[in-house]
Amino acid sequence: MKIALASAPVMNKNIEFNLQIMIDSVKACGGKADLILFGESVLQGFDALCWNYETDKHMAVTLTDAPIRRMCEAAKEYAIAVSFGFIQRCDDALYSSQIFIGADGQIVQVFHRVSVGWKEFIKTDAHYREGQSFEKFCYNGKSFAIGLCGDLWTEGRSKEMKSLNADVVLWPVWCDYETNEWNNGIKYEYAEQAALCGSCVLLVNPFCADADTTNVAPGGAAYFRNGGIAAQMPFGNNGILIVSV
């Protein structure tokens, strides 16, 4: 299976911009990959929320809202599965979620981040929630599991992920490490952590195009294989890295 790791430009609170970038990337990868993976919170941007529920509920989207429908249509049109992060509204709750859409445009899986690092939990109330566990699902002959950013660093969670024995672990993140800090050292720490979670782990970091934020994700992607780095796009770059798994 060929998987495109898409480190796409993202602007906070600009759903239309982010959506168009994703659709353009999906189109570019149609016929070249079986799945395209985007990073955490790429639909709205990691700093899109203000932690006031009455405001934030309008930034979040449901599974039936237009942005999700348009991504389902793009997946079907270009015959490629798509996975991306977004802030989801489900009844009166908000989640940091990662959706997986099949090449037929149907939703295969929606994962809710299990760790609290996506929110300013000192400011938030019970509307801002996390999922409970990881889940394995199958697509196109492969088994997958998803962990968002800090999920795989949370105590006990790497063991939980490893126990699923998924063929592919998808690790969408929003990391704001300095470029040299990641490229010259931290990536190896992530490779070691990935080995505790599965033999094949795919990490994607968005490329934040919005300078007015403290969490400037500098792009990049990595294919971690058995604790090593099988392929990578260094931090400081945006684009698409296609790997075979």
Side-chain angles (χ1 to χ4, degrees), residues 47 174-177 205-206 208-219:
D47 284 340
W174 186 291
C175 292
D176 60 353
Y177 295 111
N205 192 39
C208 185
D210 188 347
D212 296 326
T213 179
T214 58
N215 298 297
V216 181

Side-chain angles (χ1 to χ4, degrees), residues 19 41 49 52 73 83 136 170 198:
L19 187 63
S41 303
L49 303 182
N52 177 288
E73 292 165 359
S83 181
K136 185 166 70 171
L170 304 181

Side-chain angles (χ1 to χ4, degrees), residues 163-174:
S163 70
L164 294 180
N165 196 31
D167 294 326
V168 183
V169 175
L170 304 181
W171 196 2
V173 301
W174 186 291

Side-chain angles (χ1 to χ4, degrees), residues 149 153 171 173-195 203 205 218-219 221-222 224 227-229 232 234-235:
C149 207
W153 288 101
W171 196 2
V173 301
W174 186 291
C175 292
D176 60 353
Y177 295 111
E178 291 290 336
T179 298
N180 289 337
E181 186 182 16
W182 171 272
N183 292 335
N184 296 328
I186 290 179
K187 67 182 181 182
Y188 300 111
E189 298 175 21
Y190 271 72
E192 291 177 2
Q193 188 65 21
L203 178 145
N205 192 39
F224 300 122
I229 302 174
Q232 63 179 309
F235 273 32

